[in-house]
């Protein structure tokens, strides 16, 4: 199994700016958040990574947290699992599962075009390139369909975005048009829009800290996302504004660790961090460390932050 340090070395070689997230110690949904350095010549995608085992892959709650953060940040949600075949990406509900070797190829800019789903392994096709070459060769949809042994409608579908074909059809296309016909799963991956989950809006106990925040933010038109297995407890987005909220843990020492790790994560997604203290005494400890902090009693004052 790959280690976080091994993935760190891959990111260093790829000139990525990254942070390793150390909180919480157990049941953590995010290990690393990375983006290409600003002085880089290309615009490679950002990544939110969990270096994992197959046991994690099947923990839907942890995977959901990873996906939520990727959605908010526009980064690719990636699980590193060395039990996955090399040069193949497994699709887990819009989370990309791949081996460390495959991830290294992704970082170096190589095409990854094999996708494994429950239905089997399929090949990503560059739809625009397919249409361009077909038309350059003066070949109609029907002629290409006949050569491939598929229907004319299938060719029409192949030339749309996000086209995947069987390995047999892909081999025929490569024989006819060359490897430039192959697509790239990574470059074509689209993050989903932030969706409001009814459970995230459930206020439960009206005096619960999170419930108070949800009511305040939702009332100001924010989309709310709750987290269970990472450094932040709640995120809110409206237009291009992203706010992340951290609620004080069981003691000041643990809270400061949580807040510092949250700060690392939030800085990589261009968001604003607000911490919530449970008492005025602990508030002073967090303000001393330059955190933007409020007490539970002062939640109404957050109005200035969110407008």
């Amino acid at each position: 199994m790959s280690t976080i340090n091994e993935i760190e070395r891959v990111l260093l070689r790829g000139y990525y700016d990254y942070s390793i997230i150390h909180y919480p110690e157990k049941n953590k949904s995010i290990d690393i958040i990375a983006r290409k350095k600003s002085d880089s010549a290309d615009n490679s995608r950002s990544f939110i990574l969990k270096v994992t085992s197959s046991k994690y892959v099947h923990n839907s709650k942890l995977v959901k947290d990873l996906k939520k953060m990727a959605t908010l940040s526009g980064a690719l949600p990636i699980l590193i699992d060395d039990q996955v075949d090399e040069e193949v990406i497994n699709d887990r509900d819009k989370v990309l599962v791949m081996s460390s070797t495959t991830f290294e190829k992704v970082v170096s800019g190589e095409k990854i075009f094999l996708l494994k789903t429950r239905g089997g392994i399929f090949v990503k096709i560059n739809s625009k390139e397919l249409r361009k070459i077909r038309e350059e060769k003066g070949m109609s949809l029907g002629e290409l369909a006949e050569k491939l042994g598929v229907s004319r409608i299938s060719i029409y579908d192949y030339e749309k975005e996000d086209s995947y074909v069987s390995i047999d059809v892909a081999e025929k296309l490569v024989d006819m048009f060359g490897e430039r016909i192959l697509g790239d799963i990574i470059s074509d991956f689209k993050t989903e829009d932030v969706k409001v989950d009814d459970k995230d809006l459930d206020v439960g106990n009206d005096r619960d800290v999170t419930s108070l925040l949800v009511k305040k933010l939702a009332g100001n038109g924010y989309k709310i996302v709750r987290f269970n297995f990472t450094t932040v407890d709640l995120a809110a987005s409206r237009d291009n504004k992203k706010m992340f909220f951290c609620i004080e843990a069981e003691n000041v020492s643990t809270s400061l660790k949580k807040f510092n790790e949250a700060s690392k994560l939030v800085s990589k997604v261009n968001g604003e961090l607000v911490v919530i203290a449970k008492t005025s005494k602990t508030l002073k400890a967090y303000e001393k460390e330059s955190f933007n902090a409020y007490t539970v009693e002062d939640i109404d004052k957050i109005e200035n932050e969110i407008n």
Side-chain angles (χ1 to χ4, degrees):
M1 177 180 169
S2 293
T3 65
I4 293 174
N5 288 339
E6 288 170 346
I7 299 303
E8 181 181 12
R9 288 192 286 272
V10 170
L11 292 167
L12 282 171
R13 290 195 294 271
Y15 300 100
Y16 273 79
D17 180 24
Y18 64 90
S19 291
I20 298 175
I21 308 302
H22 296 286
Y23 185 93
E25 287 78 7
K26 296 181 179 179
N27 292 328
K28 181 173 53 173
S29 62
I30 298 169
D31 286 322
I32 304 173
I33 181 165
R35 62 184 178 188
K36 202 72 171 180
K37 291 183 178 179
S38 58
D39 59 353
S40 172
D42 62 47
N43 295 311
S44 298
R45 300 292 295 269
S46 299
F47 308 119
I48 290 184
L49 298 138
K50 176 66 183 177
V51 184
T52 185
S53 65
S54 291
K55 181 179 179 180
Y56 175 97
V57 175
H58 297 289
N59 188 324
S60 60
K61 292 182 178 179
L62 292 173
V63 173
K64 189 173 182 179
D65 253 23
L66 176 73
K67 185 178 176 182
K68 284 180 178 180
M69 188 60 71
T71 298
L72 279 167
S73 64
L76 270 74
I78 295 178
L79 299 179
I80 304 295
D81 181 1
D82 283 334
Q83 295 190 38
V84 175
D85 293 336
E86 292 185 12
E87 299 188 26
V88 175
I89 290 177
N90 285 21
D91 178 22
R92 172 77 192 279
D93 189 26
K94 298 293 284 185
V95 172
L96 306 176
V97 187
M98 65 187 74
S99 70
S100 57
T101 303
T102 302
F103 179 66
E104 189 166 5
K105 291 179 183 294
V106 167
V107 168
S108 67
E110 292 186 37
K111 282 184 180 181
I112 306 297
F113 49 82
L114 293 174
L115 181 73
K116 185 175 182 180
T117 69
R118 292 180 178 178
I121 296 179
F122 299 91
V123 180
K124 181 78 174 69
I125 293 298
N126 186 325
S127 303
K128 292 181 180 178
E129 199 68 27
L130 173 59
R131 181 174 181 177
K132 179 182 176 182
I133 298 175
R134 177 182 63 77
E135 290 178 345
E136 285 175 353
K137 292 181 175 293
M139 190 179 296
S140 69
L141 292 173
E143 288 172 332
L144 180 56
E146 186 176 352
K147 290 180 180 294
L148 295 178
V150 299
S151 69
R152 187 176 180 278
I153 294 176
S154 293
I155 303 300
Y156 177 79
D157 288 338
Y158 297 165
E159 294 184 356
K160 290 182 179 179
E161 293 183 6
D162 298 323
S163 296
Y164 287 89
V165 303
S166 68
I167 292 176
D168 179 58
V169 168
E171 288 175 344
K172 291 177 181 177
L173 282 170
V174 170
D175 287 342
M176 294 168 60
F177 301 143
E179 291 191 0
R180 58 188 273 205
I181 207 71
L182 297 173
D184 182 21
I185 295 169
I186 298 298
S187 64
D188 290 338
F189 184 86
K190 293 180 177 62
T191 53
E192 298 178 338
D193 292 334
V194 177
K195 296 179 180 178
V196 177
D197 189 325
D198 289 341
K199 292 181 180 179
D200 290 340
L201 294 176
D202 182 11
V203 296
N205 180 353
D206 284 347
R207 298 307 303 168
D208 171 73
V209 181
T210 306
S211 296
L212 290 170
L213 283 169
V214 168
K215 290 172 68 175
K216 174 65 68 175
L217 292 161
N220 282 271
Y222 279 81
K223 293 181 179 179
I224 311 298
V225 178
R226 295 198 199 197
F227 295 93
N228 297 298
F229 305 103
T230 189
T231 58
V232 296
D233 299 292
L234 187 74
S237 64
R238 187 183 69 188
D239 301 324
N240 293 322
K241 187 168 186 176
K242 290 176 285 190
M243 299 190 70
F244 296 84
F245 296 85
C246 259
I247 299 168
E248 182 177 16
E250 61 270 18
N251 56 60
V252 171
S253 176
T254 301
S255 296
L256 285 172
K257 179 177 181 180
K258 177 182 180 180
F259 299 162
N260 279 310
E261 295 302 304
S263 181
K264 286 159 55 177
L265 190 152
V266 170
S267 69
K268 291 291 188 298
V269 299
N270 300 318
E272 301 174 32
L273 177 65
V274 176
V275 305
I276 306 297
K278 295 178 181 177
T279 69
S280 56
K281 182 179 180 179
T282 55
L283 173 72
K284 292 178 181 178
Y286 307 139
E287 289 180 331
K288 186 178 180 180
E289 296 297 322
S290 300
F291 287 108
N292 184 15
Y294 292 82
T295 62
V296 176
E297 288 76 14
D298 288 338
I299 282 180
D300 282 343
K301 294 181 181 179
I302 293 177
E303 196 81 33
N304 293 330
E305 300 278 351
I306 62 180
N307 288 326

